[in-house]
C-alpha cells in the first residue's frame, strides 16, 4: 500500500498542484465576455457538490446559484452565462489533459511491469529466453484505429494541446500564458460534421508524428534485447490498421471515392515521412559513392509526395537502400550503418501503406446487394434455392457484374468498392487493403456473400488476396459461431481460399454490441467462451485462428484494463496475434504522445507474450470456476434482459438522456443509429451513443448492471466465499470485476436523483440506482477493497479530478434537459446547450463511449 500512496502523492504534486497553479493563471485571462467566469465556476461546483447529495435537483442548484452569486435578471442573460461556463470548463479539461500527459513519463516507469526489459529479465531468471524469442518471431500485435465519434478536437486545437503539453514539460509560464490565451479564443467545435476523409486526416496526424517513431523504437528495443545483428527479427512487432474511409457499416458518407482518397492519403503520408527521415540520414552519410543513391532516392520520394498516382514501388525504395548499405559496408567500414538500418526497418514495417485500410460493412447490406445482383443477371430469387444451390451460384457465377447496370446507390457503390480494392493493392501493396469485415455475422452466407462479391466483380479465386472476416457481436451470433466456422472450414472452395491465405482465419468479436445486447458479464463471458470454442474448432480443422477484438474505450465496450485482459487469457484461447480496435478518446489519451504510445503499445504487445510463455494457474479457468462464472453470467443476463424489456427502457433513454443529441453533434461523420430516420429501435442503436448516453447521465448501466444481482444470489445462499476465491484466483474474473469497478467509479446517481420522484420514470430510476448500490457494495466485499479502484491509485486520482472539473458542466446539462422537457420558450438554445456540454463531458472522461 505504501507504493500506492507514493504514487498518489506524486500525482498530487506534479499533476493536481500544477493544474491549480495554471488554472489560477487561466482564471485571470481577459477573454471576451468571459470575465469572472473562472471565479464563478467554483461556486457552482460547491453548490453542486453539497446540493446533489442532499437531494436538490439541478434545477434548484442552478436557480440558487444565479440568485446567490449573480445579478442576472433575465433567462437570456443566464443562458449566455451558462454557455460561457461550458466553454471555460472545456478549456479546463484541455489544461488538465495537457498537464497529465506532460507528467506521463514521471508517473510511469519505463522498466516497470509489462515492459520489454522486465520480460527480458524474467525470461533470463526463469530460463525462458529462447521460448520468448520463438514467440516473438511469430507474434504481431495489430492496433486498428477507428474514427468512431467519441472525440475529435479540431486540428488547430490538437496542435495547441501539443504545444501546451511541451510548454508544461518545460515549466515555461510565459509560453503557457500565451497558449492559454490562444486556447480561450480558438473555437472547440467543428462548424460542420467531419467527413470520413477529415477523420482519416486527424488520425494520420498521429501516424506521422507519433507512431512512425514509436513503432520503430519498439522494434529496435525488441531486436536489441532478444536478437543478434547477424540474425535480426523479421516480424514487424506492431502493425497498424485503419478504419476511416473503409468502415462503411452504417456510414453512408464512406463511398468508393472516399476509400480511394484515404488510401492515397495514407500512401503519400508515409512517403512524406520517408523523405523527412532520409534528410536526417543524408546529414550523416556524406561519403563518396553513398551520396548518389541517396540523392536518387530522395528525388524519387519528393516526386511522389505530390503525385498520388505515381508508379513508385516499395522495391524501388528497398533497392536503393540496399545499394547504399552495401557501399557503406564495403567502402566505409559500416560507419552510421545503424541509422541506415533503422530507416530500412521503417520501410519494411510501413511499406507504401503506412496502415492497412480495413473494409467493413453490415451483413444485411451485403445480402441486399447480392439479392439484387442475382435477380438482375439470373432472374433467380435466392430464397427459392437450397443451401447447396446457393453456394454453387455464389462461388461459381456465370456472369460479371457492372455497377452501371444498377440504380440504387448502395448497390452501385458496393460494386465499385470491390473493383477498386485490387487497384489499391497495386498502389499501396497487398497490406494496403487486405481484410474485409462483415458486421452482424450469423451464418456461413454472411462470409460467402463477400466471397461472391469478389467473384461477381471478375476476381479469379487466386486474385482474392483478402482475409474475409466475420464479426460475431450479438449473443445469437456468438452462440452460432462454432457451427458457422465449422461449415466454412469444411466447404471445399473456402478451404482452398484459406490455403492461399496460409491456413489462417481472422475472426472479429464485438465487445461493444455484445455488451449492449447481453449485458456486462454475459457478453464478456460469451466472448471468452466463443474464443475457446473457435480455437478448438480451428485446431481441429488445422487452421490458425486470429482473433480481432472490437473494443471501445470504457469497460462497458470492452476497454478498461486492456493489457491485463490479454495477459489473463489462458492456453485454451489461440494467441497467434493480438488485434484490437482503438478509437476516439483512447487514441489521444493512451496513444497521443510518444511516451504514452510507446508504453501502451509495449504493454499490449507483451501481454500476449506473458499469457503464452509466463502463464500462471490464475490464467487458467478451472472447471469449478467455469460453473461459477457461467451461473453469474446467466443471472446477470436475466437481470439485464428484464431491464431492456421494461416499458420505460427506450423512452427513458430517448427522453431523459442525451441520446438524441449524439447524432446532432459535429463529433463524427457516422449517424448515431442504423436504419435512417425510421422509429428508434434497440437493435438499430449504435453502441457508442448507447453507452455514451448512460455515461452522460453518470449512470454507466452497461458497465455493471446485473453484476450485483448475480453476486447477491450467491450471498443469499451463503456461498459468497466462492466468489471471493474466484476473484482471488482467476485473473479473468478479477480483471472483469476491476473493469466494472472502474465504470462504477465514474457513476454519480445524486446527479439524477430528482428523477426518483418523477411520475413516469421514478420507478425505473430506482431500479437502476438499487442495482448500482448493490453492485458497488458486493464488488467491494468480494475484492476486499475499501474503495473502488483501490489497486489503481493513479487512474483513480485522475478520474476523481476529472469528475470534479466537469461536475458543474453536468449540472448545467441536466438543468438544460429539464428545461427542454418543460417546453421552455428557449428550447432551441437549451438543446444547443445540451449538445455543447456533451463535448466537455466526453473529453474529460477520456473513455466514456
Amino acid at each position: 500500500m505504501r507504493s500506492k500512496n507514493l504514487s498518489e502523492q506524486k500525482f498530487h504534486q506534479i499533476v493536481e498542484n500544477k493544474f491549480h497553479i495554471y488554472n489560477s493563471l487561466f482564471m485571470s485571462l481577459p477573454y471576451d465576455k468571459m470575465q469572472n467566469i473562472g471565479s464563478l465556476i467554483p461556486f457552482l461546483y460547491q453548490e453542486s457538490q453539497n446540493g446533489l447529495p442532499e437531494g436538490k435537483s439541478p434545477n434548484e442548484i442552478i436557480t440558487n446559484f444565479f440568485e446567490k452569486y449573480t445579478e442576472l435578471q433575465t433567462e437570456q442573460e443566464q443562458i449566455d452565462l451558462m454557455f460561457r461556463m461550458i466553454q471555460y470548463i472545456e478549456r479546463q479539461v484541455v489544461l488538465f489533459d495537457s498537464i497529465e500527459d506532460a507528467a506521463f513519463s514521471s508517473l510511469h516507469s519505463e522498466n516497470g511491469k509489462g515492459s520489454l526489459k522486465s520480460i527480458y529479465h524474467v525470461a533470463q531468471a526463469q530460463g525462458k529466453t529462447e521460448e520468448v524469442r520463438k514467440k516473438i518471431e511469430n507474434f504481431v500485435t495489430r492496433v486498428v484505429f477507428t474514427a468512431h465519434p467519441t472525440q475529435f478536437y479540431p486540428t488547430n486545437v490538437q496542435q495547441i494541446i501539443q504545444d501546451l503539453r511541451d510548454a508544461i514539460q518545460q515549466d515555461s509560464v510565459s509560453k503557457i500564458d500565451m497558449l492559454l490565451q490562444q486556447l480561450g479564443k480558438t473555437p472547440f467545435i467543428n462548424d460542420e460534421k467531419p467527413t470520413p476523409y477529415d477523420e482519416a486526416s486527424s488520425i494520420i496526424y498521429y501516424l506521422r508524428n507519433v507512431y512512425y517513431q514509436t513503432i520503430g523504437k519498439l522494434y529496435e528495443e525488441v531486436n536489441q534485447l532478444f536478437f543478434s545483428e547477424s540474425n535480426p527479427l523479421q516480424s514487424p512487432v506492431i502493425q497498424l490498421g485503419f478504419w476511416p474511409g473503409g468502415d462503411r457499416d452504417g456510414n453512408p458518407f464512406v463511398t468508393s471515392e472516399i476509400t480511394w482518397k484515404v488510401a492515397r492519403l495514407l500512401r503519400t503520408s508515409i512517403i512524406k515521412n520517408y523523405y523527412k527521415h532520409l534528410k536526417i540520414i543524408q546529414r550523416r552519410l556524406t561519403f563518396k559513392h553513398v551520396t548518389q543513391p541517396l540523392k536518387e532516392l530522395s528525388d524519387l520520394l519528393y516526386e511522389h509526395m505530390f503525385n498520388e498516382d505515381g508508379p513508385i514501388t516499395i522495391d524501388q525504395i528497398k533497392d536503393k537502400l540496399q545499394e547504399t548499405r552495401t557501399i557503406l559496408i564495403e567502402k566505409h567500414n559500416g560507419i552510421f550503418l545503424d541509422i541506415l538500418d533503422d530507416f530500412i526497418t521503417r520501410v519494411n514495417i510501413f511499406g507504401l501503406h503506412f496502415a492497412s485500410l480495413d473494409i467493413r460493412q453490415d451483413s444485411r447490406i451485403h445480402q441486399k446487394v447480392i439479392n439484387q445482383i442475382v435477380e438482375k443477371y439470373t432472374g433467380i430469387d435466392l430464397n427459392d434455392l437450397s443451401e447447396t444451390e446457393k453456394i454453387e451460384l455464389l462461388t461459381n457465377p456465370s456472369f460479371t457484374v457492372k455497377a452501371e447496370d444498377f440504380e440504387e446507390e448502395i448497390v452501385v457503390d458496393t460494386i465499385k468498392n470491390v473493383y477498386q480494392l485490387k487497384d489499391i493493392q497495386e498502389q499501396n501493396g497487398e497490406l494496403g487493403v487486405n481484410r474485409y469485415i462483415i458486421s452482424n455475422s450469423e451464418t456461413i452466407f454472411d462470409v460467402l456473400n463477400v466471397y461472391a462479391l469478389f467473384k461477381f466483380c471478375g476476381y479469379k479465386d487466386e486474385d482474392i488476396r483478402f482475409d474475409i472476416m466475420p464479426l460475431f457481436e450479438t449473443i445469437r451470433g456468438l452462440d452460432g459461431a462454432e457451427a458457422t466456422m465449422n461449415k466454412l472450414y469444411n466447404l471445399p472452395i473456402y478451404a482452398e481460399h484459406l490455403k492461399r491465405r496460409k491456413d489462417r482465419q481472422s475472426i472479429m468479436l464485438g465487445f461493444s454490441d455484445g455488451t449492449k445486447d447481453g449485458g456486462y458479464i454475459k457478453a464478456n463471458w460469451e466472448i471468452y467462451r466463443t474464443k475457446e470454442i473457435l480455437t478448438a474448432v480451428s485446431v481441429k480443422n488445422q487452421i490458425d485462428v486470429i482473433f480481432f477484438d472490437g473494443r471501445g474505450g470504457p469497460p462497458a465496450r470492452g476497454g478498461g484494463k486492456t493489457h491485463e485482459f490479454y495477459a489473463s487469457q489462458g492456453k485454451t484461447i489461440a494467441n497467434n496475434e493480438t488485434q484490437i480496435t482503438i478509437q476516439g478518446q483512447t487514441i489521444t489519451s493512451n496513444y497521443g504522445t510518444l511516451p504514452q504510445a510507446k508504453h501502451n503499445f509495449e504493454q499490449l504487445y507483451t501481454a500476449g507474450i506473458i499469457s503464452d510463455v509466463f502463464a500462471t494457474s490464475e490464467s487458467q479457468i478451472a472447471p469449478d470456476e467455469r460453473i461459477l462464472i457461467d451461473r453469474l453470467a446467466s443471472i446477470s443476463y436475466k437481470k439485464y434482459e428484464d431491464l431492456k424489456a421494461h416499458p420505460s427502457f427506450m423512452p427513458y433513454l430517448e427522453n431523459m438522456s442525451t441520446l438524441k443529441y449524439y447524432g446532432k453533434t459535429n463529433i463524427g461523420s457516422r449517424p448515431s443509429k442504423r436504419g435512417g430516420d425510421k422509429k428508434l429501435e434497440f437493435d438499430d442503436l449504435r453502441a457508442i451513443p448507447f453507452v455514451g448516453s448512460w455515461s452522460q447521465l453518470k449512470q454507466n448501466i452497461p458497465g455493471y448492471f446485473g453484476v450485483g444481482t448475480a453476486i447477491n444470489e450467491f450471498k443469499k445462499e451463503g456461498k459468497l466465499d466462492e466468489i471471493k476465491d474466484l476473484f482471488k484466483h482467476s485473473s479473468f474474473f478479477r480483471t472483469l470485476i476491476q473493469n466494472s469497478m472502474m465504470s462504477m467509479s465514474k457513476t454519480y446517481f445524486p446527479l439524477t436523483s430528482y428523477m426518483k420522484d418523477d411520475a413516469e420514470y421514478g420507478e425505473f430510476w430506482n431500479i437502476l440506482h438499487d442495482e448500482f448500490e448493490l453492485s458497488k457494495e458486493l464488488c467491494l466485499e468480494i475484492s476486499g477493497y475499501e474503495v473502488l479502484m483501490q489497486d489503481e491509485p493513479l487512474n483513480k486520482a485522475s478520474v476523481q479530478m476529472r469528475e470534479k472539473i466537469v461536475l458543474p458542466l453536468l449540472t448545467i446539462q441536466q438543468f438544460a434537459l429539464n428545461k427542454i422537457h418543460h417546453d421552455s420558450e428557449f428550447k432551441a438554445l437549451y438543446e444547443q446547450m445540451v449538445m455543447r456540454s456533451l463535448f466537455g463531458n466526453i473529453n474529460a472522461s477520456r473513455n466514456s463511449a
Side-chain angles (χ1 to χ4, degrees):
M1 200 70 180
R2 174 177 157 74
S3 62
K4 293 182 181 180
N5 289 335
L6 288 174
S7 297
E8 288 174 298
Q9 287 171 20
K10 201 168 187 180
F11 184 89
H12 176 73
Q13 290 166 359
I14 64 177
V15 178
E16 284 187 44
N17 284 351
K18 276 192 177 182
F19 175 73
H20 292 309
I21 291 166
Y22 295 136
N23 191 44
S24 64
L25 181 69
F26 201 28
M27 289 169 66
S28 62
L29 294 176
Y31 297 141
D32 296 337
K33 298 183 179 179
M34 297 276 278
Q35 290 89 342
N36 302 321
I37 298 292
S39 58
L40 284 172
I41 287 173
F43 290 119
L44 180 54
Y45 168 77
Q46 207 62 48
E47 289 290 320
S48 301
Q49 187 191 40
N50 295 335
L52 290 169
E54 293 172 0
K56 289 183 181 177
S57 69
N59 196 44
E60 290 175 282
I61 289 168
I62 294 290
T63 302
N64 290 341
F65 166 77
F66 281 121
E67 288 176 357
K68 286 171 69 174
Y69 301 106
T70 76
E71 296 179 357
L72 301 178
Q73 300 298 315
T74 69
E75 190 170 359
Q76 181 66 63
E77 288 177 320
Q78 293 175 353
I79 288 171
D80 289 344
L81 178 63
M82 284 187 284
F83 269 113
R84 294 200 296 276
M85 293 175 90
I86 290 170
Q87 292 173 318
Y88 192 93
I89 294 169
E90 283 176 337
R91 286 154 178 80
Q92 282 185 307
V93 170
V94 167
L95 176 61
F96 185 78
D97 281 350
S98 301
I99 292 168
E100 189 173 33
D101 290 348
F104 187 87
S105 296
S106 300
L107 294 170
H108 298 83
S109 169
E110 273 194 16
N111 303 323
K113 182 183 176 184
S115 67
L116 284 165
K117 284 184 180 174
S118 74
I119 295 291
Y120 175 74
H121 291 309
V122 171
Q124 278 195 317
Q126 296 184 12
K128 292 186 174 182
T129 307
E130 185 60 29
E131 200 176 336
V132 171
R133 187 182 293 116
K134 285 181 178 177
K135 177 66 181 176
I136 289 173
E137 283 176 344
N138 300 294
F139 186 69
V140 173
T141 292
R142 181 186 288 248
V143 178
V144 180
F145 297 101
T146 78
H148 293 341
T150 55
Q151 176 228 48
F152 276 107
Y153 288 120
T155 303
N156 52 6
V157 174
Q158 283 183 346
Q159 290 166 345
I160 296 171
I161 292 171
Q162 183 180 1
D163 293 341
L164 185 57
R165 186 168 54 235
D166 294 341
I168 289 166
Q169 283 178 324
Q170 299 161 14
D171 279 325
S172 174
V173 176
S174 59
K175 281 185 184 177
I176 293 166
D177 181 63
M178 292 303 297
L179 288 166
L180 290 178
Q181 289 192 49
Q182 183 185 0
L183 198 65
K185 292 178 175 288
T186 303
F188 262 48
I189 57 173
N190 299 302
D191 293 331
E192 298 176 344
K193 276 184 178 291
T195 66
Y197 186 80
D198 295 331
E199 291 170 334
S201 299
S202 294
I203 298 178
I204 287 172
Y205 170 87
Y206 292 102
L207 264 64
R208 292 200 62 197
N209 295 288
V210 180
Y211 310 143
Y212 181 80
Q213 295 294 340
T214 304
I215 291 170
K217 286 179 180 176
L218 269 177
Y219 176 88
E220 184 182 348
E221 190 172 342
V222 171
N223 239 333
Q224 287 175 349
L225 288 170
F226 295 99
F227 296 86
S228 63
E229 285 187 25
S230 60
N231 185 29
L233 174 65
Q234 301 302 314
S235 162
V237 180
I238 304 287
Q239 288 183 325
L240 300 180
F242 206 79
W243 276 16
D247 182 12
R248 317 173 117 60
D249 181 14
N251 193 339
F253 306 110
V254 177
T255 62
S256 55
E257 181 185 357
I258 286 290
T259 301
W260 186 245
K261 282 181 68 178
V262 170
R264 287 190 298 188
L265 180 62
L266 284 163
R267 183 173 181 265
T268 55
S269 294
I270 190 57
I271 291 172
K272 287 175 183 176
N273 271 50
Y274 291 157
Y275 181 77
K276 182 180 175 182
H277 193 162
L278 188 58
K279 287 296 178 191
I280 297 170
I281 290 170
Q282 287 177 296
R283 289 171 67 95
R284 293 290 167 267
L285 301 187
T286 53
F287 321 132
K288 192 176 181 181
H289 304 299
V290 170
T291 53
Q292 186 57 33
L294 289 181
K295 183 181 184 304
E296 290 170 3
L297 179 56
S298 180
D299 291 344
L300 183 70
L301 292 172
Y302 183 81
E303 176 190 348
H304 287 87
M305 284 195 299
F306 307 103
N307 182 3
E308 292 179 331
D309 297 319
I312 189 173
T313 67
I314 196 64
D315 286 338
Q316 285 177 285
I317 298 172
K318 288 181 178 180
D319 288 346
K320 284 295 176 190
L321 289 171
Q322 192 56 50
E323 180 186 346
T324 305
R325 192 176 193 275
T326 301
I327 295 168
L328 194 62
I329 292 170
E330 293 179 353
K331 296 184 180 297
H332 301 288
N333 299 319
I335 187 172
F336 294 130
L337 184 63
D338 57 333
I339 67 169
L340 181 65
D341 281 348
D342 178 45
F343 184 37
I344 292 171
T345 295
R346 312 290 173 96
V347 172
N348 287 332
I349 291 172
F350 298 113
L352 285 176
H353 62 281
F354 213 163
S356 298
L357 186 63
D358 286 347
I359 305 299
R360 184 173 79 132
Q361 181 57 285
D362 190 281
S363 61
R364 292 164 291 191
I365 298 295
H366 291 140
Q367 193 61 61
K368 178 180 182 177
V369 173
I370 289 289
N371 287 347
Q372 288 198 30
I373 289 173
V374 170
E375 187 174 351
K376 179 80 174 178
Y377 291 105
T378 69
I380 295 172
D381 184 339
L382 278 172
N383 294 319
D384 295 337
L385 301 182
S386 67
E387 183 174 291
T388 303
E389 290 169 330
K390 272 188 195 177
I391 292 170
E392 174 62 22
L393 192 153
L394 292 174
T395 57
N396 190 25
S398 59
F399 56 85
T400 302
V401 69
K402 294 179 182 177
E404 57 266 30
D405 288 346
F406 297 87
E407 294 182 1
E408 192 171 349
E409 189 175 341
I410 188 66
V411 179
V412 172
D413 195 71
T414 300
I415 295 167
K416 284 183 178 179
N417 176 234
V418 174
Y419 270 108
Q420 77 181 166
L421 297 181
K422 188 184 291 186
D423 297 329
I424 293 173
Q425 285 192 338
E426 287 177 8
Q427 284 275 321
N428 293 19
E430 185 174 325
L431 288 176
V433 56
N434 68 342
R435 311 201 312 171
Y436 201 124
I437 301 161
I438 306 120
S439 304
N440 278 303
S441 289
E442 293 184 351
T443 74
I444 62 165
F445 289 103
D446 294 329
V447 173
L448 292 180
N449 282 343
V450 172
Y451 195 89
L453 283 171
F454 285 111
K455 296 285 287 190
F456 291 176
C457 292
Y459 286 68
K460 295 177 183 177
D461 290 323
E462 59 270 21
D463 292 336
I464 305 174
R465 296 178 295 164
F466 285 83
D467 297 327
I468 302 174
M469 190 184 310
L471 164 50
F472 301 115
E473 49 192 331
T474 63
I475 298 300
R476 179 180 168 185
L478 291 166
D479 285 345
E482 178 183 17
T484 298
M485 295 314 301
N486 198 41
K487 269 189 176 182
L488 278 171
Y489 289 153
N490 288 282
L491 198 63
I493 194 162
Y494 195 75
E496 287 299 314
H497 170 69
L498 287 181
K499 276 187 184 175
R500 291 188 293 271
R501 303 305 294 166
K502 299 180 180 177
D503 284 323
R504 290 162 73 88
Q505 171 68 53
S506 295
I507 298 174
M508 188 172 181
L509 299 159
F511 283 77
S512 301
D513 282 280
T515 306
K516 172 186 150 239
D517 189 44
Y520 182 71
I521 298 180
K522 177 73 169 177
N524 279 277
W525 181 232
E526 281 298 308
I527 288 169
Y528 190 95
R529 290 197 324 116
T530 300
K531 281 185 176 183
E532 290 184 313
I533 291 166
L534 292 177
T535 297
V537 77
S538 299
V539 169
K540 181 183 173 184
N541 286 279
Q542 298 181 303
I543 300 295
D544 289 331
V545 67
I546 296 166
F547 294 117
F548 175 28
D549 292 331
R551 305 173 76 94
R557 295 188 53 241
K561 297 163 74 72
T562 308
H563 312 143
E564 289 87 342
F565 173 85
Y566 284 105
S568 72
Q569 293 195 135
K571 298 281 190 182
T572 52
I573 291 177
N575 184 26
N576 299 306
E577 291 187 17
T578 296
Q579 296 194 1
I580 184 175
T581 54
I582 304 291
Q583 66 187 53
Q585 300 128 300
T586 315
I587 294 175
T588 53
S589 63
N590 287 359
Y591 297 85
T593 67
L594 286 166
Q596 289 172 319
K598 182 179 182 299
H599 175 83
N600 285 297
F601 279 135
E602 188 173 0
Q603 292 278 321
L604 194 58
Y605 178 71
T606 59
I609 297 168
I610 290 167
S611 72
D612 198 349
V613 180
F614 302 103
T616 65
S617 59
E618 285 193 354
S619 64
Q620 310 304 315
I621 304 178
D624 58 329
E625 292 175 336
R626 288 173 179 276
I627 293 169
L628 292 179
I629 299 172
D630 208 49
R631 189 172 173 220
L632 287 167
S634 297
I635 297 167
S636 65
Y637 179 55
K638 173 68 167 59
K639 180 72 174 177
Y640 183 68
E641 284 289 287
D642 288 346
L643 184 74
K644 288 198 301 181
H646 195 287
S648 293
F649 185 81
M650 286 305 292
Y652 181 85
L653 269 178
E654 281 196 86
N655 299 318
M656 304 302 280
S657 81
T658 59
L659 179 65
K660 67 180 73 170
Y661 299 103
Y662 260 83
K664 296 179 182 180
T665 60
N666 291 332
I667 297 176
S669 68
R670 194 167 68 164
S672 60
K673 69 182 184 73
R674 299 178 176 95
D677 295 327
K678 72 176 186 179
K679 182 178 179 289
L680 180 65
E681 294 179 10
F682 182 80
D683 288 344
D684 291 329
L685 188 57
R686 290 202 168 279
I688 287 168
F690 176 74
V691 172
S693 296
W694 290 115
S695 173
Q696 294 279 321
L697 281 167
K698 287 296 164 188
Q699 295 176 349
N700 287 324
I701 296 305
Y704 60 82
F705 197 87
V707 173
T709 293
I711 297 172
N712 198 41
E713 282 299 306
F714 283 84
K715 185 172 184 176
K716 286 191 289 188
E717 295 168 9
K719 298 178 180 177
L720 193 62
D721 283 345
E722 293 182 20
I723 309 302
K724 288 181 180 180
D725 287 341
L726 185 63
F727 181 88
K728 185 178 180 181
H729 296 117
S730 167
S731 55
F732 167 78
F733 183 70
R734 183 166 59 251
T735 303
L736 194 67
I737 295 299
Q738 287 171 333
N739 275 341
S740 187
M741 288 195 275
M742 184 187 291
S743 284
M744 287 187 274
S745 72
K746 297 182 181 183
T747 300
Y748 188 62
F749 269 90
L751 178 70
T752 55
S753 62
Y754 69 93
M755 294 181 188
K756 66 184 176 186
D757 299 320
D758 186 274
E760 190 171 355
Y761 298 111
E763 179 213 343
F764 187 77
W765 184 92
N766 278 303
I767 291 171
L768 305 179
H769 177 252
D770 290 348
E771 184 63 20
F772 166 75
E773 292 293 343
L774 184 63
S775 298
K776 178 182 175 182
E777 175 193 334
L778 290 176
C779 282
L780 290 174
E781 189 170 352
I782 65 167
S783 65
Y785 295 169
E786 294 177 9
V787 293
L788 297 172
M789 296 183 71
Q790 181 173 299
D791 64 331
E792 299 177 82
L794 289 179
N795 286 339
K796 177 168 156 282
S798 177
V799 167
Q800 288 175 339
M801 196 67 192
R802 291 172 182 281
E803 296 297 299
K804 184 175 179 179
I805 292 169
V806 297
L807 185 59
L809 196 60
L810 292 163
T811 304
I812 289 171
Q813 186 184 79
Q814 285 296 315
F815 173 79
L817 283 168
N818 188 263
K819 287 286 187 179
I820 293 165
H821 298 154
H822 290 87
D823 292 321
S824 163
E825 61 178 298
F826 296 101
K827 183 177 180 179
L829 282 174
Y830 283 119
E831 288 189 320
Q832 190 180 348
M833 191 180 293
V834 170
M835 284 187 281
R836 280 305 308 275
S837 62
L838 279 169
F839 291 87
N841 289 332
I842 287 171
N843 294 338
S845 293
R846 283 201 154 182
N847 67 354
S848 63

